[in-house]
Structure formats: C-alpha cells, structure tokens
Amino acid sequence: MARLRDPDGGCAWDLEQTFATIAPYTVEEAYEVADAIERGDLHDLKDELGDLLLQVVFHARMAEEQGVFGFDDVALAICDKMIRRHPHVFADAAFRDSAEQTRAWESIKAEERAAKGRADSALADVPAGLPAMTRAVKLTKRAARVGFDWPDPEAVLEKLHEEIDELKVEIAAGDQAKAREELGDLLFVCANLARKLDIEPEDALRAANAKFTRRFGYIEAALAAEGRTPEQSTLAEMEDHWQAAKRAEKLAKA
C-alpha cells in the first residue's frame, strides 16, 4: 500500500483517496464477505476476506501518512481490547453463565466509553453508519437490556398492526412527509420483531431478495419461451407465471 500511495510513481487513483472516499468500499467489501458466507463459497470467501483486509491496510496507511497510527497499532489495539473484554480468559475472573458474562461485557464497554469521554448511555456507541435495519436491532437490543422492551413477539405484532393503520391514514391523506415518517416507524417495529424472534433482519431480507430474483427470473424465462418480454406482457400474465414459480418451488422442496 505504501508503494501505491507513493507520490513518486504511485497510483494516481490511490493517491487521491481519503478515509471518506474509501469508507463506502470498506462497507461494500464487508457485504461481499457476507455474501460469500451466505453462498457457502469458501474459495470466494478467501478472496473477499483479502479484499476486506486491503481496506484495513488502506485506512491504516492513510493514518500512518498523517502520523496518527499504523497497521501494527490497529492490530495491537484489537488485541488489547479482546484481552480487556475477556477477563475470564486472560485473567482470573469467573462467570456463572453467559448472561453474567454479557453483563460484564457491557460494564467493560461502559467503562471504555467513559474513558473516551463519551456519553454514558446504553445507546452511545451504536454506530450511526450501520445499515439502518441493523442499527435498529442494535438500538432496541441495548434498550431491552435496561428493561425497555415489549414482553413478547405478540405485543410487537400488535404495534406492527397499529403502525400499518397509521401509515394507511397518511397515504389516504396524501401527506408524503408523514407517510415517510410512519413507514420508518413501521420498519423500526419490523426490526424489533426480528430481534424478538431471534432472526437477523438483514439475512431475512437478503433471502427475500434472492427469492424475488429467482421468481422474476422464472417469469422472464417463461415469457422468453413464448417469444415475449415482460414489457410485452400484462401484469395478470406475469402474476400467473409468478404463481407457477411458487408452485414449482414448493414441489422441489416436497
């Protein structure tokens, strides 16, 4: 990376980059790692982990150029953090169960926030840059740890129906701004429901995306066999093929 960032003979593109311009690529590479895991492609996972590691090296190199820290400092920092947060492994602490261990973990993190001068809030260090659905789950999980939570999934479902009704009102009123707000509330409750069901919403949505892609591909293939495209078909015709795709999937699973 030092060679790529070398002002005398380095790569022009690499030299232009900053933390802010590289950050989107870092997020993208993390998702590509997740995708390889989802597909069970360990060969691809190796490559994607390398791409993700390059992002870490890139950020560390830019920080080193500013005299702030280098890659070795990054590695030492995570080692120190893991040792600090696992006193039952690296020291003589002992926990009765995973629940007590989790409480100790949160206590250590609270001490770390205080040492950094951050607000001592249960929500203080939930990164704002996370995907919104993932952040919603983390926020509600943190709130639940201090007792601010619905008692069961059924209670969340009731709230979900309430939010749907409120969204319907704003849609009927034609108020785009309020509809946006109510839709956000609805999605937030969906994230809460996923947490209560112990389902990762990003994973669930990725699976739904894959299902939609697969079934729409069936529609395109079926229409192509008839010498047509979706643009040359009616919604009713495409819906018939969609239902056929669903039936085919059910038979394949039977």
Side-chain angles (χ1 to χ4, degrees):
M1 185 53 65
R3 178 70 178 273
L4 292 173
R5 296 273 299 180
D6 187 346
D8 299 318
C11 173
W13 185 89
D14 287 270
L15 285 166
E16 293 174 355
Q17 304 313 305
T18 66
F19 295 115
T21 62
I22 288 297
Y25 296 103
T26 307
V27 174
E28 180 181 335
E29 295 298 350
Y31 274 113
E32 290 184 3
V33 166
D35 178 64
I37 293 171
E38 182 76 18
R39 291 183 283 104
D41 189 333
L42 296 184
H43 183 271
D44 200 19
L45 176 60
K46 177 195 69 176
D47 290 342
E48 297 302 343
L49 285 172
D51 291 344
L52 183 58
L53 178 59
L54 175 62
Q55 297 297 309
V56 177
V57 173
F58 205 142
H59 285 288
R61 176 57 190 173
M62 289 188 292
E64 187 174 16
E65 291 169 359
Q66 297 180 23
V68 184
F69 61 80
F71 182 81
D72 287 349
D73 299 304
V74 173
L76 287 172
I78 189 59
C79 287
D80 289 345
K81 182 184 292 184
M82 289 299 99
I83 292 171
R84 187 169 62 249
R85 293 185 179 180
H86 292 81
H88 55 298
V89 176
F90 299 103
D92 56 1
F95 303 122
R96 291 189 299 273
D97 50 36
S98 60
E100 185 177 19
Q101 181 180 330
T102 298
R103 287 193 294 272
W105 177 281
E106 291 303 322
S107 177
I108 293 169
K109 290 177 70 175
E111 291 173 2
E112 291 173 353
R113 289 195 297 270
K116 293 179 180 179
R118 295 179 181 174
D120 188 17
S121 165
L123 310 181
D125 62 344
V126 179
L130 286 173
M133 189 67 78
T134 298
R135 187 164 193 260
V137 171
K138 287 186 175 292
L139 288 171
T140 58
K141 184 181 293 185
R142 293 291 185 85
R145 286 175 184 165
V146 297
F148 190 68
D149 193 15
W150 278 291
D152 49 49
E154 287 70 25
V156 187
L157 281 170
E158 290 180 11
K159 182 63 175 177
L160 189 65
H161 289 301
E162 177 186 324
E163 295 295 349
I164 290 173
D165 289 339
E166 292 179 0
L167 178 58
K168 287 179 178 178
V169 170
E170 302 307 338
I171 291 174
D175 192 322
Q176 181 75 1
K178 289 185 178 179
R180 176 179 180 274
E181 180 179 349
E182 294 300 340
L183 180 59
D185 292 345
L186 177 61
L187 292 172
F188 191 85
V189 176
C190 284
N192 232 323
L193 179 60
R195 177 182 60 82
K196 297 295 285 187
L197 296 174
D198 197 25
I199 294 172
E200 171 53 56
E202 293 285 344
D203 291 344
L205 187 54
R206 274 197 296 271
N209 288 341
K211 183 192 298 183
F212 180 85
T213 301
R214 187 172 62 248
R215 291 179 180 175
F216 191 77
Y218 183 99
I219 292 173
E220 291 177 313
L223 290 173
E226 301 169 2
R228 294 185 295 157
T229 65
E231 292 87 350
Q232 297 167 329
S233 309
T234 66
L235 177 59
E237 289 171 331
M238 286 189 282
E239 177 63 24
D240 286 342
H241 287 305
W242 179 273
Q243 294 302 325
K246 291 177 64 175
R247 291 192 294 271
E249 287 180 355
K250 287 182 180 179
L251 285 174
K253 292 179 179 178

